[in-house]
Amino acid sequence: MSAGDRGKLPSHVAFIMDGNGRWAKKRMLPRKMGHRQGVKALERVVDACAERGIGMVTFYAFSTENWARPQEEIDALFDMVAEFADTRMTEYVRRGFRVMFMGELSALPDKTKDAIARISAAAKDNTGMIVNIALNYGGRDEILRAVRTVVGSGVKDVDEQTLSDCMYTAGLPDPDVIVRSSGEKRLSNFMLWQAAYSEFVFMDDMWPDFGAEQVDAVLKEYASRDRRYGSVKRIG
Ligand code: IPE
Ligand code: IPE
Ligand code: MG
């Protein structure tokens, strides 16, 4: 990456991890195996982003709509989250990463909630790369929660900042780029408020195939974009 490109390194990259099921189906494996490989891909992507100096990474792991899946798959997913929190995330905390979770966590199984609470507490004083996992997360649900908080507080003078301050990402940068794997081109209720000016990168690779190569492709694509925020094209 040239010195010029480095100036256009995103502060926050968010990933919609999609295609685990199709990856497994193609190999005649149960969907669960796709999710297992998906966790490995997440680990490769975290390492690649940390090496390249990204400040914050967000991963969409379970949506408010994913409860519609078979119970067996849901159980397997939350078991994997608990295991991931107790193992790899413990290493992340040692590496100084700030791990956080966003979503309606109260609905998760106790085992998963406990693991999340332990790792969040262990990471609370860290200042390194932020690793944010969206679990039972919905963009509309997040906006609704924020509105309810504001209404409940009785504040009348409501502006964008008031609502931003009630989001899970309060005080953190909006995603500069949102990446979705598996060829699907939609947000599926992800970071609706924060995505106002995000760049989008849609890639055909299934999530379990993601790693450093895909991260570099995203960063290259991002560096080539001209973000105008409603203004006119930059000169030069
Ligand atoms: C993404 O992969 C993981 C989650 C949504 C938990 P999918 O499970 O959606 O995989 P496909 O879309 O069925 O291939
Ligand atoms: C989006 O993937 C949610 C996550 C990646 C957690 P889905 O596979 O659930 O999205 P749809 O149903 O294809 O829109
Ligand atoms: Mg999917």
Side-chain angles (χ1 to χ4, degrees):
M1 200 180 277
S2 76
D5 289 343
R6 281 212 72 84
K8 292 185 76 178
L9 198 66
S11 300
H12 180 185
V13 184
F15 295 90
I16 301 175
M17 307 187 281
D18 199 12
N20 294 353
R22 277 162 285 167
W23 183 96
K25 192 169 179 218
K26 203 175 143 195
R27 290 161 180 80
M28 313 239 274
L29 295 167
R31 292 180 60 83
K32 194 163 81 177
M33 294 306 289
H35 296 313
R36 252 203 193 286
Q37 293 304 316
V39 175
K40 296 204 172 128
L42 185 153
E43 293 171 7
R44 288 192 295 271
V45 169
V46 166
D47 288 342
C49 289
E51 279 163 20
R52 285 152 186 77
I54 309 291
M56 176 168 179
V57 281
T58 294
F59 297 93
Y60 199 11
F62 195 90
S63 74
T64 47
E65 287 70 37
N66 286 146
W67 295 106
R69 294 186 177 210
Q71 192 59 45
E72 195 197 335
E73 180 174 348
I74 296 173
D75 292 344
L77 276 166
F78 286 125
D79 276 351
M80 278 181 225
V81 172
E83 192 191 318
F84 182 69
D86 282 334
T87 56
R88 188 64 62 164
M89 286 194 126
T90 309
E91 178 212 311
Y92 292 165
V93 171
R94 248 184 271 125
R95 284 162 73 181
F97 296 169
R98 277 169 67 187
V99 304
M100 61 175 273
F101 297 83
M102 65 173 187
E104 187 44 65
L105 304 179
S106 63
L108 306 190
D110 286 342
K111 184 175 145 192
T112 311
K113 268 193 293 203
D114 293 348
I116 284 176
R118 276 195 297 275
I119 203 70
S120 305
K124 74 174 184 351
D125 295 325
N126 283 2
T127 54
M129 181 170 83
I130 300 170
V131 179
N132 179 27
I133 312 283
L135 271 182
N136 193 19
Y137 173 86
R140 286 189 170 179
D141 183 62
E142 181 183 31
I143 293 168
L144 253 179
R145 281 177 76 254
V147 170
R148 289 196 190 112
T149 303
V150 172
V151 170
S153 73
V155 171
K156 290 278 175 300
D157 207 7
V158 180
D159 58 14
E160 281 193 13
Q161 194 60 46
T162 320
L163 272 188
S164 287
D165 289 345
C166 295
M167 298 290 164
Y168 294 120
T169 51
L172 300 173
D174 287 340
D176 296 297
V177 54
I178 296 179
V179 181
R180 184 164 188 154
S181 56
S182 86
E184 307 295 351
K185 296 176 182 68
R186 53 178 173 265
L187 273 178
S188 301
N189 204 11
F190 186 57
M191 299 191 99
L192 301 180
W193 176 266
Q194 298 87 342
Y197 264 103
S198 301
E199 295 293 327
F200 291 93
V201 175
F202 298 107
M203 296 173 80
D204 287 335
D205 307 70
M206 296 295 143
W207 179 257
D209 293 325
F210 258 62
E213 189 190 316
Q214 285 73 15
V215 169
D216 283 335
V218 169
L219 297 183
K220 190 166 178 234
E221 175 61 28
Y222 177 78
S224 76
R225 302 276 177 98
D226 184 16
R227 302 182 78 185
R228 291 193 285 282
Y229 299 100
S231 179
V232 288
K233 196 169 165 41
R234 276 181 325 188
I235 299 160

